[in-house]
Amino acid sequence: MKELALTPDKPFVNNVDVTVYDFPKGRDGDRRKRCGITVEFAESDVADLQGQGMDYEAAIEYYKKYIYDLVTANIGPDWQCVEGWDKVMEIVEDHVKAYY
């Protein structure tokens, strides 16, 4: 199973770019950039979720699955996040909360 680290850039008003790293020589070795993803949480994005009947908790669960699926599409299904998930989700939660 691949161990990955997610490193968010400084968030914008409506999105955050996240760099995905792995550790080809173990966590004690250097990181290698694998891909970048963008998580969008503009008012219109959240309004779409609200239109589907999602409350705040459901929207956050949606974003967790969305991020997981984006990383899986780029890296493959056999991975776990060992660093940075909480930082990314904190950014998402803070921005989504503004619309609820």
Side-chain angles (χ1 to χ4, degrees):
M1 178 172 290
K2 280 197 184 306
E3 293 183 329
L4 301 178
L6 304 179
T7 304
D9 288 343
K10 184 177 178 182
F12 294 104
V13 173
N14 57 2
N15 68 51
V16 64
D17 292 324
V18 179
T19 305
V20 179
Y21 295 96
D22 71 358
F23 305 91
K25 296 181 181 177
R27 278 198 252 170
D28 294 332
D30 291 333
R31 296 174 177 209
R32 174 178 60 174
K33 181 178 177 180
R34 291 300 307 267
C35 66
I37 62 172
T38 300
V39 182
E40 297 181 352
F41 38 72
E43 184 176 3
S44 62
D45 297 315
V46 177
D48 287 345
L49 300 179
Q50 290 170 328
Q52 296 173 35
M54 290 188 197
D55 62 6
Y56 172 75
E57 289 80 18
I60 295 304
E61 289 304 313
Y62 167 85
Y63 275 102
K64 287 178 182 176
K65 183 176 179 342
Y66 175 76
I67 293 166
Y68 180 85
D69 290 347
L70 272 177
V71 174
T72 298
N74 285 286
I75 303 297
D78 195 23
W79 66 274
Q80 69 177 10
C81 185
V82 297
E83 183 182 315
W85 184 269
D86 292 339
K87 289 180 186 176
V88 172
M89 287 311 302
E90 182 179 313
I91 291 167
V92 172
E93 289 168 5
D94 287 345
H95 284 81
V96 171
K97 190 181 299 182
Y99 303 113
Y100 283 92

XYZ file of all heavy atoms in Angstrom:
812
model
N 0.845 -1.177 0.000
C 0.000 0.000 0.000
C 0.895 1.247 0.000
O 1.798 1.359 0.805
C -0.913 -0.006 1.233
C -1.774 1.226 1.308
S -3.035 1.195 2.579
C -4.127 -0.035 1.904
N 0.610 2.159 -0.908
C 1.365 3.409 -0.980
C 0.982 4.333 0.164
O -0.190 4.473 0.488
C 1.073 4.144 -2.283
C 1.816 3.642 -3.462
C 1.753 4.696 -4.550
C 2.400 4.242 -5.818
N 3.749 3.788 -5.687
N 1.967 4.961 0.737
C 1.723 5.996 1.731
C 1.875 7.341 1.040
O 2.861 7.575 0.339
C 2.712 5.875 2.879
C 2.512 4.623 3.684
C 3.453 4.533 4.868
O 4.590 5.046 4.783
O 3.057 3.941 5.880
N 0.882 8.201 1.226
C 0.867 9.500 0.554
C 0.782 10.629 1.563
O 0.256 10.465 2.659
C -0.330 9.592 -0.388
C -0.431 8.553 -1.497
C -1.703 8.780 -2.299
C 0.788 8.582 -2.395
N 1.282 11.787 1.133
C 1.144 13.022 1.900
C 0.437 14.036 1.019
O 0.726 14.152 -0.174
C 2.511 13.552 2.317
N -0.501 14.763 1.605
C -1.210 15.832 0.901
C -0.730 17.157 1.475
O -0.738 17.350 2.689
C -2.716 15.702 1.111
C -3.360 14.378 0.723
C -4.855 14.415 1.018
C -3.111 14.046 -0.729
N -0.319 18.056 0.592
C 0.156 19.359 1.022
C -0.648 20.446 0.321
O -0.499 20.647 -0.888
C 1.657 19.527 0.703
O 2.379 18.465 1.319
C 2.176 20.860 1.219
N -1.518 21.124 1.076
C -2.325 22.178 0.447
C -1.521 23.456 0.258
O -0.679 23.809 1.090
C -3.456 22.392 1.450
C -2.870 22.014 2.770
C -1.871 20.924 2.481
N -1.768 24.136 -0.861
C -1.243 25.482 -1.060
C -2.112 26.440 -0.261
O -3.122 26.040 0.317
C -1.300 25.877 -2.542
C -0.278 25.128 -3.385
O 0.675 24.548 -2.829
O -0.463 25.107 -4.617
N -1.750 27.698 -0.291
C -2.596 28.705 0.333
C -3.935 28.703 -0.401
O -3.976 28.804 -1.627
C -1.937 30.074 0.238
C -2.707 31.153 0.940
C -1.977 32.480 0.889
C -2.820 33.532 1.580
N -2.200 34.847 1.527
N -5.049 28.570 0.324
C -6.349 28.485 -0.350
C -6.785 29.820 -0.936
O -6.458 30.882 -0.422
C -7.298 28.047 0.759
C -6.645 28.434 2.021
C -5.162 28.425 1.770
N -7.517 29.731 -2.027
C -8.194 30.875 -2.605
C -9.604 30.931 -2.014
O -9.987 30.073 -1.235
C -8.265 30.748 -4.127
C -6.925 30.798 -4.787
C -6.338 29.640 -5.264
C -6.244 31.997 -4.934
C -5.094 29.669 -5.882
C -5.004 32.048 -5.541
C -4.425 30.876 -6.017
N -10.369 31.909 -2.411
C -11.733 32.048 -1.913
C -12.585 30.855 -2.309
O -13.427 30.398 -1.542
C -12.361 33.357 -2.442
C -13.828 33.445 -2.085
C -11.600 34.550 -1.923
N -12.350 30.316 -3.509
C -13.242 29.268 -4.000
C -12.574 27.914 -4.274
O -13.231 27.009 -4.762
C -13.979 29.746 -5.247
C -13.031 30.168 -6.329
O -11.826 30.084 -6.183
N -13.583 30.640 -7.431
N -11.271 27.776 -3.995
C -10.627 26.475 -4.189
C -9.286 26.418 -3.473
O -8.782 27.440 -3.000
C -10.452 26.157 -5.678
C -9.454 27.056 -6.366
O -8.333 27.234 -5.924
N -9.861 27.635 -7.487
N -8.748 25.218 -3.427
C -7.401 25.018 -2.898
C -6.711 23.970 -3.771
O -7.319 22.974 -4.161
C -7.411 24.588 -1.406
C -8.085 23.242 -1.200
C -6.006 24.583 -0.838
N -5.473 24.252 -4.114
C -4.658 23.290 -4.840
C -3.913 22.440 -3.823
O -3.390 22.958 -2.828
C -3.661 23.993 -5.760
C -4.339 24.719 -6.905
O -5.364 24.196 -7.411
O -3.862 25.786 -7.316
N -3.862 21.143 -4.084
C -3.225 20.201 -3.175
C -2.208 19.386 -3.968
O -2.530 18.834 -5.022
C -4.275 19.250 -2.547
C -3.603 18.254 -1.611
C -5.353 20.044 -1.821
N -0.986 19.323 -3.458
C 0.049 18.502 -4.066
C 0.079 17.161 -3.348
O 0.050 17.108 -2.121
C 1.421 19.184 -3.969
O 1.342 20.490 -4.554
C 2.486 18.379 -4.698
N 0.150 16.088 -4.137
C 0.175 14.731 -3.592
C 1.598 14.185 -3.754
O 2.143 14.175 -4.854
C -0.835 13.820 -4.320
C -0.797 12.412 -3.769
C -2.236 14.412 -4.246
N 2.160 13.749 -2.642
C 3.508 13.183 -2.619
C 3.453 11.733 -2.173
O 2.573 11.350 -1.396
C 4.390 13.938 -1.609
C 4.646 15.375 -1.952
C 3.864 16.382 -1.409
C 5.693 15.740 -2.792
C 4.101 17.711 -1.707
C 5.943 17.068 -3.090
C 5.142 18.052 -2.548
O 5.381 19.369 -2.833
N 4.441 10.947 -2.626
C 4.632 9.623 -2.052
C 6.057 9.529 -1.512
O 6.826 10.484 -1.582
C 4.294 8.505 -3.036
C 5.287 8.351 -4.179
O 6.266 9.130 -4.268
O 5.086 7.440 -5.002
N 6.375 8.397 -0.958
C 7.667 8.178 -0.318
C 8.284 6.909 -0.922
O 8.171 5.827 -0.349
C 7.483 7.995 1.191
C 6.742 9.116 1.867
C 5.361 9.071 2.008
C 7.417 10.213 2.367
C 4.667 10.092 2.637
C 6.735 11.246 2.986
C 5.355 11.184 3.124
N 8.951 7.033 -2.089
C 9.440 5.830 -2.768
C 10.482 5.043 -1.970
O 10.629 3.846 -2.161
C 10.017 6.355 -4.073
C 10.224 7.805 -3.869
C 9.244 8.244 -2.828
N 11.194 5.706 -1.056
C 12.214 5.013 -0.248
C 11.814 4.986 1.226
O 12.668 4.969 2.101
C 13.561 5.690 -0.428
C 14.077 5.602 -1.849
C 15.413 6.256 -2.023
C 15.836 6.140 -3.479
N 17.098 6.819 -3.734
N 10.513 5.034 1.476
C 10.029 5.045 2.847
C 9.907 6.464 3.379
O 10.444 7.409 2.796
N 9.200 6.600 4.488
C 8.955 7.940 5.027
C 10.212 8.641 5.509
O 10.216 9.850 5.655
C 7.943 7.886 6.155
C 6.536 7.852 5.627
C 5.558 8.222 6.668
N 4.839 7.036 7.081
C 4.038 6.974 8.114
N 3.865 8.020 8.875
N 3.418 5.866 8.397
N 11.264 7.893 5.764
C 12.519 8.531 6.171
C 13.285 9.105 4.981
O 14.199 9.900 5.152
C 13.406 7.534 6.920
C 12.790 7.116 8.244
O 12.022 7.912 8.820
O 13.080 5.995 8.696
N 12.911 8.705 3.770
C 13.568 9.200 2.563
C 12.886 10.435 2.013
O 11.984 11.012 2.632
N 13.333 10.850 0.836
C 12.760 12.023 0.184
C 11.364 11.738 -0.354
O 11.048 10.615 -0.732
C 13.654 12.481 -0.970
C 14.973 13.045 -0.486
O 15.023 13.548 0.656
O 15.961 12.963 -1.246
N 10.577 12.808 -0.428
C 9.249 12.731 -1.037
C 9.375 12.882 -2.539
O 10.299 13.510 -3.032
C 8.375 13.878 -0.545
C 8.081 13.869 0.885
C 7.343 15.139 1.242
N 6.988 15.123 2.636
C 5.942 15.735 3.139
N 5.162 16.452 2.359
N 5.676 15.661 4.407
N 8.394 12.352 -3.229
C 8.326 12.511 -4.680
C 6.939 13.027 -5.024
O 5.927 12.471 -4.600
C 8.573 11.164 -5.348
C 8.384 11.194 -6.855
C 8.672 9.863 -7.477
N 7.771 8.843 -6.942
C 7.713 7.594 -7.381
N 8.526 7.184 -8.347
N 6.864 6.726 -6.857
N 6.897 14.107 -5.798
C 5.611 14.658 -6.223
C 4.974 13.710 -7.229
O 5.585 13.334 -8.214
C 5.800 16.035 -6.856
C 4.499 16.662 -7.295
C 4.712 18.037 -7.883
C 3.394 18.603 -8.387
N 3.566 19.936 -8.955
N 3.724 13.332 -6.941
C 3.010 12.421 -7.822
C 2.000 13.137 -8.696
O 1.856 12.827 -9.869
C 2.302 11.348 -6.996
C 3.226 10.380 -6.318
C 4.092 9.622 -7.323
N 3.319 8.990 -8.362
C 2.876 7.750 -8.348
N 3.164 6.980 -7.341
N 2.165 7.270 -9.333
N 1.262 14.091 -8.114
C 0.257 14.803 -8.889
C -0.243 15.990 -8.083
O 0.142 16.173 -6.928
C -0.915 13.901 -9.276
S -1.918 13.330 -7.885
N -1.082 16.762 -8.703
C -1.753 17.862 -8.020
C -3.242 17.757 -8.286
O -3.661 17.285 -9.353
N -4.027 18.149 -7.303
C -5.474 18.159 -7.465
C -5.996 19.517 -7.018
O -5.333 20.216 -6.258
C -6.164 17.028 -6.666
C -5.923 17.184 -5.159
C -5.706 15.657 -7.159
C -6.722 16.213 -4.303
N -7.152 19.878 -7.500
C -7.806 21.113 -7.088
C -9.161 20.755 -6.495
O -9.945 20.028 -7.103
C -7.998 22.068 -8.283
O -6.712 22.380 -8.821
C -8.688 23.348 -7.856
N -9.402 21.276 -5.297
C -10.675 21.063 -4.618
C -11.420 22.392 -4.670
O -10.942 23.394 -4.146
C -10.466 20.612 -3.158
C -11.810 20.360 -2.491
C -9.582 19.371 -3.093
N -12.578 22.396 -5.333
C -13.340 23.626 -5.521
C -14.527 23.669 -4.562
O -15.271 22.700 -4.453
C -13.819 23.725 -6.962
C -12.657 23.805 -7.937
C -13.083 23.925 -9.374
O -14.286 23.803 -9.666
O -12.197 24.123 -10.212
N -14.657 24.802 -3.881
C -15.749 24.976 -2.920
C -16.355 26.363 -3.037
O -16.673 27.012 -2.046
C -15.274 24.714 -1.488
C -13.879 25.220 -1.202
C -13.611 26.566 -1.082
C -12.840 24.332 -1.078
C -12.343 27.026 -0.825
C -11.549 24.782 -0.815
C -11.301 26.131 -0.691
N -16.547 26.798 -4.276
C -17.182 28.094 -4.532
C -18.641 28.032 -4.099
O -19.215 26.958 -3.909
C -17.088 28.446 -6.011
N -19.248 29.178 -3.961
C -20.649 29.251 -3.560
C -21.529 28.402 -4.471
O -22.419 27.688 -4.008
C -21.124 30.704 -3.556
C -22.531 30.874 -3.067
C -22.966 32.331 -2.965
O -22.183 33.229 -3.330
O -24.095 32.558 -2.510
N -21.267 28.457 -5.772
C -22.084 27.674 -6.709
C -21.867 26.173 -6.535
O -22.806 25.386 -6.710
C -21.784 28.089 -8.147
O -20.428 27.839 -8.468
N -20.644 25.759 -6.186
C -20.377 24.338 -5.944
C -21.171 23.844 -4.738
O -21.792 22.783 -4.777
C -18.887 24.092 -5.701
C -18.032 24.446 -6.902
O -18.404 24.075 -8.031
O -16.990 25.095 -6.704
N -21.153 24.625 -3.668
C -21.873 24.249 -2.454
C -23.380 24.345 -2.691
O -24.144 23.512 -2.198
C -21.421 25.098 -1.254
C -22.218 24.762 -0.010
C -19.925 24.895 -0.995
N -23.826 25.328 -3.472
C -25.259 25.449 -3.784
C -25.758 24.207 -4.529
O -26.887 23.763 -4.301
C -25.524 26.713 -4.599
N -24.923 23.643 -5.406
C -25.300 22.406 -6.089
C -25.524 21.277 -5.085
O -26.474 20.505 -5.209
C -24.216 21.983 -7.091
C -24.181 22.852 -8.326
O -25.155 23.599 -8.577
O -23.164 22.779 -9.054
N -24.650 21.192 -4.087
C -24.799 20.159 -3.055
C -26.050 20.404 -2.224
O -26.788 19.462 -1.910
C -23.560 20.113 -2.162
C -22.234 19.805 -2.861
C -21.089 19.812 -1.858
C -22.300 18.487 -3.604
N -26.291 21.667 -1.890
C -27.499 22.006 -1.136
C -28.740 21.670 -1.951
O -29.738 21.210 -1.404
C -27.493 23.489 -0.760
C -26.452 23.822 0.288
C -26.271 25.309 0.489
O -26.430 26.106 -0.436
N -25.903 25.691 1.713
N -28.685 21.911 -3.258
C -29.800 21.582 -4.132
C -30.089 20.090 -4.186
O -31.207 19.683 -4.498
N -29.089 19.279 -3.861
C -29.264 17.831 -3.795
C -29.723 17.395 -2.405
O -29.810 16.205 -2.117
C -27.950 17.128 -4.133
C -27.476 17.363 -5.541
C -26.088 16.777 -5.780
O -25.737 15.743 -5.234
N -25.299 17.452 -6.602
N -29.991 18.390 -1.545
C -30.496 18.094 -0.214
C -29.432 17.821 0.830
O -29.743 17.327 1.909
N -28.186 18.148 0.522
C -27.106 17.873 1.465
C -27.010 18.958 2.525
O -26.971 20.143 2.195
C -25.763 17.768 0.744
C -25.610 16.556 -0.109
S -23.921 16.432 -0.728
C -24.152 15.275 -2.063
N -26.962 18.533 3.788
C -26.662 19.467 4.864
C -25.141 19.575 4.978
O -24.404 18.983 4.175
C -27.309 19.025 6.183
C -26.809 17.667 6.682
O -25.874 17.078 6.084
O -27.363 17.193 7.685
N -24.677 20.333 5.973
C -23.233 20.564 6.117
C -22.457 19.247 6.245
O -21.448 19.051 5.566
C -22.968 21.473 7.323
C -21.512 21.620 7.656
C -20.689 22.428 6.872
C -20.942 20.954 8.732
C -19.345 22.555 7.159
C -19.599 21.085 9.027
C -18.805 21.881 8.238
O -17.462 22.007 8.514
N -22.927 18.349 7.104
C -22.218 17.093 7.330
C -22.157 16.249 6.055
O -21.126 15.646 5.747
C -22.866 16.292 8.468
C -22.658 16.888 9.844
C -23.597 18.051 10.162
O -24.654 18.211 9.483
O -23.268 18.823 11.074
N -23.246 16.209 5.338
C -23.274 15.449 4.085
C -22.339 16.073 3.048
O -21.673 15.351 2.292
C -24.693 15.369 3.542
N -22.273 17.394 3.015
C -21.370 18.074 2.081
C -19.917 17.747 2.402
O -19.109 17.498 1.493
C -21.598 19.583 2.120
N -19.572 17.711 3.679
C -18.200 17.375 4.068
C -17.882 15.934 3.686
O -16.793 15.635 3.183
C -17.980 17.635 5.577
C -18.107 19.138 5.878
C -16.632 17.101 6.036
C -17.190 20.046 5.076
N -18.814 15.032 3.886
C -18.617 13.636 3.468
C -18.438 13.550 1.956
O -17.629 12.770 1.456
C -19.765 12.752 3.934
C -19.779 12.512 5.422
C -18.477 11.914 5.952
O -17.972 10.940 5.352
O -17.969 12.424 6.968
N -19.221 14.356 1.221
C -19.068 14.413 -0.231
C -17.642 14.821 -0.600
O -17.006 14.211 -1.468
C -20.072 15.404 -0.842
C -19.754 15.735 -2.272
C -20.201 14.929 -3.309
C -18.981 16.855 -2.586
C -19.887 15.217 -4.626
C -18.663 17.150 -3.901
C -19.108 16.338 -4.922
O -18.775 16.622 -6.211
N -17.117 15.873 0.054
C -15.761 16.341 -0.256
C -14.706 15.307 0.104
O -13.711 15.149 -0.621
C -15.481 17.684 0.425
C -15.986 18.843 -0.391
C -17.161 19.490 -0.057
C -15.297 19.282 -1.517
C -17.634 20.552 -0.817
C -15.758 20.339 -2.282
C -16.931 20.969 -1.929
O -17.397 22.007 -2.691
N -14.890 14.592 1.200
C -13.941 13.531 1.566
C -13.880 12.476 0.468
O -12.797 12.053 0.046
C -14.343 12.884 2.889
C -14.084 13.742 4.090
C -14.557 13.050 5.363
C -14.351 13.940 6.572
N -14.891 13.300 7.805
N -15.052 12.046 0.004
C -15.097 11.040 -1.064
C -14.535 11.604 -2.367
O -13.805 10.921 -3.085
C -16.530 10.556 -1.268
C -16.638 9.450 -2.320
C -18.034 8.925 -2.436
C -18.226 7.846 -3.474
N -17.267 7.666 -4.503
N -14.853 12.859 -2.657
C -14.360 13.510 -3.872
C -12.832 13.544 -3.890
O -12.204 13.193 -4.892
C -14.948 14.920 -3.943
C -14.445 15.757 -5.080
C -14.891 15.554 -6.378
C -13.515 16.776 -4.857
C -14.433 16.333 -7.430
C -13.047 17.559 -5.896
C -13.505 17.331 -7.177
O -13.032 18.104 -8.209
N -12.230 13.951 -2.775
C -10.767 14.013 -2.693
C -10.180 12.613 -2.822
O -9.222 12.391 -3.568
C -10.324 14.698 -1.387
C -10.726 16.174 -1.414
C -8.820 14.547 -1.172
C -10.639 16.874 -0.063
N -10.764 11.666 -2.092
C -10.284 10.276 -2.169
C -10.342 9.772 -3.614
O -9.386 9.174 -4.117
C -11.106 9.376 -1.246
C -10.654 7.943 -1.290
C -9.602 7.510 -0.494
C -11.258 7.030 -2.159
C -9.166 6.191 -0.555
C -10.828 5.721 -2.218
C -9.783 5.303 -1.416
O -9.341 4.012 -1.490
N -11.455 10.013 -4.288
C -11.622 9.549 -5.671
C -10.647 10.237 -6.624
O -10.126 9.592 -7.546
C -13.060 9.759 -6.139
C -14.047 8.824 -5.450
O -13.617 7.844 -4.799
O -15.265 9.092 -5.545
N -10.383 11.522 -6.435
C -9.416 12.228 -7.284
C -8.023 11.634 -7.139
O -7.321 11.405 -8.129
C -9.358 13.708 -6.914
C -10.316 14.660 -7.579
C -10.134 16.068 -7.020
C -10.118 14.682 -9.074
N -7.608 11.415 -5.905
C -6.279 10.839 -5.671
C -6.225 9.421 -6.240
O -5.258 9.049 -6.904
C -5.920 10.865 -4.169
C -4.612 10.122 -3.914
C -5.809 12.305 -3.678
N -7.257 8.647 -6.025
C -7.296 7.280 -6.541
C -7.207 7.263 -8.063
O -6.518 6.419 -8.634
C -8.580 6.566 -6.063
O -8.546 6.510 -4.636
C -8.682 5.169 -6.623
N -7.872 8.202 -8.716
C -7.826 8.268 -10.182
C -6.408 8.545 -10.677
O -6.021 8.065 -11.748
C -8.778 9.340 -10.687
N -5.641 9.307 -9.913
C -4.281 9.658 -10.323
C -3.219 8.670 -9.848
O -2.212 8.483 -10.525
C -3.928 11.049 -9.796
C -4.603 12.138 -10.580
O -4.232 12.428 -11.698
N -5.630 12.730 -10.005
N -3.419 8.054 -8.712
C -2.388 7.212 -8.094
C -2.725 5.725 -8.196
O -1.856 4.890 -8.335
C -2.213 7.580 -6.593
C -1.858 9.060 -6.440
C -1.177 6.701 -5.922
C -0.564 9.481 -7.059
N -3.979 5.388 -8.075
C -4.412 3.998 -8.027
C -5.114 3.728 -6.714
O -5.054 4.527 -5.778
N -5.765 2.571 -6.612
C -6.627 2.319 -5.461
C -5.919 1.899 -4.176
O -6.528 1.889 -3.117
C -7.524 1.179 -5.961
C -6.675 0.456 -6.947
C -5.844 1.523 -7.615
N -4.670 1.552 -4.242
C -3.990 0.991 -3.081
C -3.127 2.051 -2.384
O -1.911 2.068 -2.538
C -3.136 -0.201 -3.529
C -2.685 -1.054 -2.371
O -3.342 -1.018 -1.313
O -1.663 -1.744 -2.513
N -3.784 2.952 -1.618
C -3.041 4.013 -0.940
C -3.706 4.385 0.379
O -4.870 4.111 0.597
C -2.911 5.259 -1.825
C -4.208 5.957 -2.114
C -5.085 5.671 -3.120
C -4.778 7.057 -1.395
N -6.159 6.523 -3.073
C -6.007 7.395 -2.025
C -4.382 7.803 -0.293
C -6.821 8.422 -1.591
C -5.197 8.839 0.150
C -6.393 9.140 -0.503
N -2.898 5.029 1.213
C -3.422 5.616 2.440
C -2.695 6.930 2.678
O -1.521 7.073 2.355
C -3.255 4.697 3.639
C -1.822 4.494 4.078
C -1.730 3.634 5.333
O -2.701 3.052 5.769
N -0.547 3.557 5.889
N -3.414 7.895 3.210
C -2.835 9.198 3.501
C -2.217 9.150 4.900
O -2.906 8.838 5.871
C -3.898 10.291 3.434
S -3.209 11.936 3.640
N -0.937 9.463 4.988
C -0.244 9.441 6.276
C 0.079 10.843 6.780
O 0.566 10.998 7.892
C 1.051 8.592 6.209
C 0.715 7.144 5.901
C 2.025 9.151 5.191
N -0.216 11.844 5.951
C 0.105 13.218 6.338
C -0.705 14.204 5.501
O -0.794 14.057 4.294
C 1.596 13.460 6.102
C 2.119 14.791 6.508
C 3.602 14.915 6.177
O 4.357 13.962 6.452
O 3.992 15.952 5.616
N -1.309 15.187 6.157
C -1.927 16.296 5.459
C -3.424 16.232 5.250
O -4.036 17.242 4.894
N -4.036 15.059 5.450
C -5.482 14.951 5.229
C -6.233 15.953 6.098
O -7.143 16.635 5.633
C -5.951 13.527 5.507
C -7.401 13.313 5.223
C -8.437 13.456 6.103
C -8.000 12.971 3.978
N -9.636 13.203 5.481
C -9.395 12.892 4.164
C -7.486 12.706 2.711
C -10.276 12.574 3.140
C -8.371 12.378 1.698
C -9.746 12.320 1.916
N -5.864 16.032 7.362
C -6.550 16.939 8.291
C -6.415 18.400 7.873
O -7.373 19.171 7.985
C -6.035 16.762 9.715
C -6.420 15.413 10.303
O -7.382 14.795 9.813
O -5.744 14.975 11.256
N -5.243 18.784 7.372
C -5.039 20.169 6.922
C -5.941 20.497 5.740
O -6.549 21.563 5.687
C -3.577 20.404 6.530
C -2.621 20.438 7.674
C -1.216 20.678 7.162
C -0.198 20.585 8.276
N 1.175 20.734 7.776
N -6.011 19.578 4.799
C -6.853 19.793 3.617
C -8.315 19.889 4.030
O -9.041 20.807 3.625
C -6.642 18.679 2.570
C -7.651 18.799 1.436
C -5.222 18.716 2.029
N -8.754 18.959 4.856
C -10.158 18.959 5.267
C -10.503 20.175 6.120
O -11.614 20.694 6.045
C -10.504 17.664 5.998
C -10.604 16.458 5.078
S -11.636 16.716 3.597
C -13.212 17.151 4.322
N -9.562 20.663 6.900
C -9.806 21.876 7.690
C -10.095 23.066 6.781
O -11.008 23.851 7.039
C -8.593 22.170 8.575
C -8.764 23.372 9.475
C -7.534 23.599 10.339
O -7.030 22.637 10.935
O -7.073 24.759 10.401
N -9.343 23.174 5.706
C -9.569 24.246 4.727
C -10.959 24.100 4.100
O -11.719 25.062 4.013
C -8.469 24.234 3.647
C -7.132 24.658 4.261
C -8.840 25.147 2.475
C -5.929 24.395 3.378
N -11.276 22.893 3.660
C -12.573 22.643 3.036
C -13.704 22.955 4.016
O -14.655 23.656 3.679
C -12.667 21.188 2.532
C -14.078 20.863 2.052
C -11.651 20.934 1.407
N -13.588 22.439 5.229
C -14.635 22.655 6.233
C -14.842 24.137 6.521
O -15.979 24.597 6.606
C -14.283 21.909 7.520
C -14.400 20.408 7.378
C -13.787 19.643 8.538
O -13.335 20.275 9.526
O -13.755 18.404 8.452
N -13.765 24.884 6.647
C -13.872 26.316 6.924
C -14.606 27.062 5.816
O -15.431 27.933 6.077
C -12.507 26.958 7.140
C -11.885 26.588 8.480
O -12.611 26.078 9.368
O -10.667 26.816 8.641
N -14.301 26.703 4.570
C -14.925 27.410 3.458
C -16.371 26.967 3.224
O -17.225 27.796 2.939
C -14.094 27.243 2.194
C -12.864 28.088 2.185
N -11.709 27.737 2.825
C -12.632 29.303 1.659
C -10.813 28.674 2.677
N -11.349 29.654 1.976
N -16.640 25.693 3.352
C -17.997 25.196 3.145
C -18.923 25.693 4.227
O -20.082 26.022 3.979
C -17.998 23.643 3.033
C -19.413 23.099 3.044
C -17.255 23.197 1.789
N -18.414 25.772 5.451
C -19.222 26.225 6.590
C -19.821 27.603 6.355
O -20.903 27.910 6.834
C -18.347 26.259 7.849
C -19.123 26.491 9.133
C -18.199 26.538 10.343
C -17.473 25.221 10.475
N -16.601 25.162 11.651
N -19.138 28.439 5.594
C -19.622 29.794 5.330
C -20.963 29.796 4.584
O -21.690 30.788 4.633
C -18.587 30.563 4.516
N -21.301 28.710 3.926
C -22.525 28.637 3.133
C -23.673 27.934 3.874
O -24.748 27.768 3.320
C -22.258 27.966 1.802
C -21.186 28.668 1.016
C -19.952 28.060 0.768
C -21.371 29.961 0.542
C -18.952 28.697 0.076
C -20.379 30.624 -0.158
C -19.162 29.980 -0.401
O -18.195 30.640 -1.094
N -23.435 27.534 5.110
C -24.468 26.862 5.891
C -24.815 27.667 7.121
O -24.138 28.480 7.598
C -24.027 25.445 6.303
C -24.140 24.465 5.165
C -23.060 24.222 4.327
C -25.334 23.802 4.925
C -23.165 23.320 3.278
C -25.445 22.899 3.872
C -24.362 22.666 3.065
O -24.466 21.775 2.019
